[in-house]
Amino acid sequence: MGLFDDAVPGGKIGKPLMIALGALLVSKMLGGRREQSDPANPQTQTPGSEDGGLLGGLDGLLENLKTAGQGDKADSWVGTGENKPIQPNDLGKALGDQTVKELAAKAGVSEEELLKQLSTALPGVVDKLTPNGNLPKKEQVAAALNAA
């Protein structure tokens, strides 16, 4: 049994979803905090980051969710109580169009399928990564995803 098998309804996380989770939370080749980039000024764009995935790792993902009005859901995933669900469209808004496109391309699935799978998996995965309500270090997230 993998680390995240009981994190998602129905059990095992498929390879496309693991690819998307890795790119979102820990990928060094897709990284960079999007809010630090200014498309009008390419010199301010952040290249691949050693700090985490597309949104700056787990911390960046949670911050984007809070900024998008989904903080109560994100907090429930980190907290020790029940995990609140998130709708695929709400998750898509929090991630942003460009991140969704990059994740879908990396995972080899449609954007709709990606959001459907991520919205189902993220509450349980974040819950597993944050035992006792504590955020892990980026290295711990990478190790957990590699072990799954």
Side-chain angles (χ1 to χ4, degrees):
M1 174 181 241
L3 176 65
F4 298 117
D5 286 351
D6 63 345
V8 296
K12 195 169 184 169
I13 294 177
K15 185 174 181 177
L17 184 56
M18 282 305 295
I19 290 169
L21 287 169
L24 182 62
L25 299 175
V26 297
S27 174
K28 293 177 182 172
M29 61 187 213
L30 290 176
R33 292 179 79 68
R34 295 182 63 231
E35 67 269 15
Q36 293 175 352
S37 297
D38 178 3
N41 186 357
Q43 292 178 332
T44 66
Q45 292 188 359
T46 306
S49 170
E50 296 294 320
D51 292 337
L54 289 174
L55 300 175
L58 181 58
D59 294 342
L61 169 65
L62 295 173
E63 185 60 37
N64 273 43
L65 287 164
K66 290 176 184 180
T67 300
Q70 303 300 317
D72 62 324
K73 293 171 184 154
D75 289 343
S76 77
W77 307 344
V78 174
T80 56
E82 185 177 335
N83 296 326
K84 294 181 181 179
I86 188 165
Q87 295 300 312
N89 287 341
D90 293 335
L91 180 58
K93 289 176 187 172
L95 295 177
D97 291 340
Q98 186 60 38
T99 297
V100 172
K101 285 178 186 176
E102 289 183 44
L103 289 174
K106 183 79 174 156
V109 298
S110 70
E111 293 174 29
E112 294 79 19
E113 182 62 24
L114 174 87
L115 288 172
K116 179 182 171 190
Q117 288 187 32
L118 277 178
S119 66
T120 301
L122 269 178
V125 169
V126 172
D127 184 59
K128 287 285 189 181
L129 291 171
T130 57
N132 304 313
N134 298 318
L135 289 176
K137 293 180 180 177
K138 289 171 179 70
E139 301 82 31
Q140 293 170 306
V141 173
L145 288 173
N146 286 333

